Amino acid sequence: MELFVDSASLDEISHALDTGVLDGVTTNPSKMKEAVELVKKQGKKVSLTAYIKQLCRMCKGLPVSLEVIGASYEDLVREGLLLHRMFNPVAKNVVVKIPVNPQFDTEKHRVHDGIKAIRSLSKKGVRVNCTLVFTPEQALLAAKAGAQFVSPFCGRLDDYIRSSHGMKFSKGEYYPAEGKKRWAKQWNDQGVVSGIDLVAQCVEIFDVHGIKTKVLAASIRNVRQLREAAVVGAHCATMSLETLEAALVHPKTEQGMKKFSDDVVPEYASLFKK
Ligand code: E4P
């Protein structure tokens, strides 16, 4: 399973790279906003072109997802090609993030602009990560269009299911993969009971049909969700540096480490002084 960090902060990305087990980076306009604000706070001027080039350079060999901002087929393709032209030459690792569906007016038949853009970009050799996936069928259509990755948004789907039932929760709070039953009624969104269930259904569809597109579990908000994404066979997962590091923490590991350190006799310690 591939592990990605969801960040546009050079500092966070460099800590994540330092683990030696990072497989990629995902960004989005909100992550870029955070990064720009941080640089400004440090009293520095921001050249986002130079900044993104540096980001791509430091991640050489690992895919870096950069997102478009447009909402029509024409803009998605133009911006996707522009991002690819500007940043892919740096380290050949750019993946363009395209929303599965940026148009909501079904009457004008533009609801498929995202899918159409994924098809065009993929045909031109641009790798695509289809983002904002909330149903297995969106994932299927994106895969058919040629996306290399599809990103089901686990945390945000859990938020949606919980809040539509009036449940109060905090960002990052665990929501069970099997969803929730209240008064014998299973909470769900069009038959999907949780973010992890969404990932599981995408993985199953891709397996059954031999689809090569990778399921990138996104909007992973806590360690248990990461584990459950792994259990249901997500090919990749993207998370904050905080969640990635939290995956290494357990009180008994800390206690055990302390006991081993306390028990080191001088004879054993001297072995390491050679
Ligand atoms: C993924 O590609 C997205 O950038 C991200 O995972 C969204 O996470 P959030 O819902 O925690 O903002």
Side-chain angles (χ1 to χ4, degrees):
M1 182 180 179
E2 295 173 8
L3 299 179
F4 290 20
V5 70
D6 195 30
S7 175
S9 150
L10 298 184
D11 198 40
E12 284 183 2
I13 294 169
S14 105
H15 287 302
L17 283 168
D18 197 41
T19 61
V21 297
L22 193 72
D23 298 295
V25 173
T26 52
T27 69
N28 60 35
S30 313
K31 300 283 171 201
M32 285 295 171
K33 179 179 177 219
E34 282 167 25
V36 167
E37 281 170 358
L38 193 74
V39 177
K40 281 188 186 163
K41 229 180 178 175
Q42 293 161 349
K44 296 184 210 149
K45 274 208 168 155
V46 194
S47 152
L48 209 49
T49 307
Y51 187 92
I52 297 174
K53 282 187 177 169
Q54 195 182 339
L55 194 163
C56 292
R57 203 171 300 117
M58 66 197 265
C59 296
K60 195 170 191 289
L62 308 178
V64 172
S65 289
L66 301 174
E67 189 158 344
V68 294
I69 56 173
S72 66
Y73 163 72
E74 294 76 11
D75 284 346
L76 297 175
V77 172
R78 186 181 52 77
E79 293 172 7
L81 290 174
L82 184 137
L83 284 174
H84 194 258
R85 197 169 51 242
M86 276 177 92
F87 302 112
N88 198 52
V90 176
K92 306 260 177 288
N93 56 353
V94 168
V95 176
V96 173
K97 234 171 154 185
I98 301 284
V100 67
N101 168 20
Q103 292 280 334
F104 314 103
D105 186 352
T106 41
E107 290 199 352
K108 287 192 184 138
H109 300 286
R110 307 255 350 206
V111 75
H112 56 258
D113 273 21
I115 292 299
K116 215 165 107 181
I118 294 170
R119 183 101 184 111
S120 292
L121 289 166
S122 304
K123 272 188 161 175
K124 289 181 167 55
V126 175
R127 293 192 287 163
V128 173
N129 172 359
C130 175
T131 192
L132 288 170
V133 167
F134 287 91
T135 70
E137 48 281 7
Q138 286 179 330
L140 174 63
L141 286 163
K144 277 185 74 75
Q148 185 176 30
F149 300 96
V150 292
S151 292
F153 272 38
C154 300
R156 289 193 200 184
L157 184 62
D158 288 348
D159 292 354
Y160 180 63
I161 293 174
R162 282 182 281 196
S163 54
S164 54
H165 286 88
M167 189 175 162
K168 297 260 180 294
F169 57 90
S170 58
K171 190 176 173 181
E173 192 176 317
Y174 175 72
Y175 184 69
E178 67 276 15
K180 213 169 185 67
K181 267 194 183 154
R182 278 277 163 90
W183 301 289
K185 233 181 136 192
Q186 174 77 55
W187 291 4
N188 72 83
D189 175 42
Q190 303 174 60
V192 179
V193 302
S194 70
I196 292 299
D197 182 38
L198 170 62
V199 171
Q201 292 194 39
C202 293
V203 169
E204 192 177 345
I205 290 171
F206 288 8
D207 276 358
V208 166
H209 296 283
I211 294 169
K212 296 278 174 279
T213 301
K214 291 179 180 176
V215 177
L216 197 175
S219 186
I220 291 285
R221 305 269 181 77
N222 55 64
V223 173
R224 253 179 103 173
Q225 209 174 28
L226 166 62
R227 179 199 314 161
E228 288 169 350
V231 168
V232 300
H235 307 106
C236 335
T238 189
M239 71 219 81
S240 64
L241 175 66
E242 196 187 347
T243 303
L244 187 67
E245 291 187 340
L248 287 166
V249 175
H250 192 276
K252 290 302 285 180
T253 306
E254 202 177 325
Q255 257 180 41
M257 192 56 216
K258 196 174 174 317
K259 171 89 176 97
F260 290 153
S261 309
D262 290 348
D263 287 346
V264 174
V265 291
E267 294 79 354
Y268 193 56
S270 68
L271 284 179
F272 302 95
K273 287 188 180 134
K274 296 202 166 99

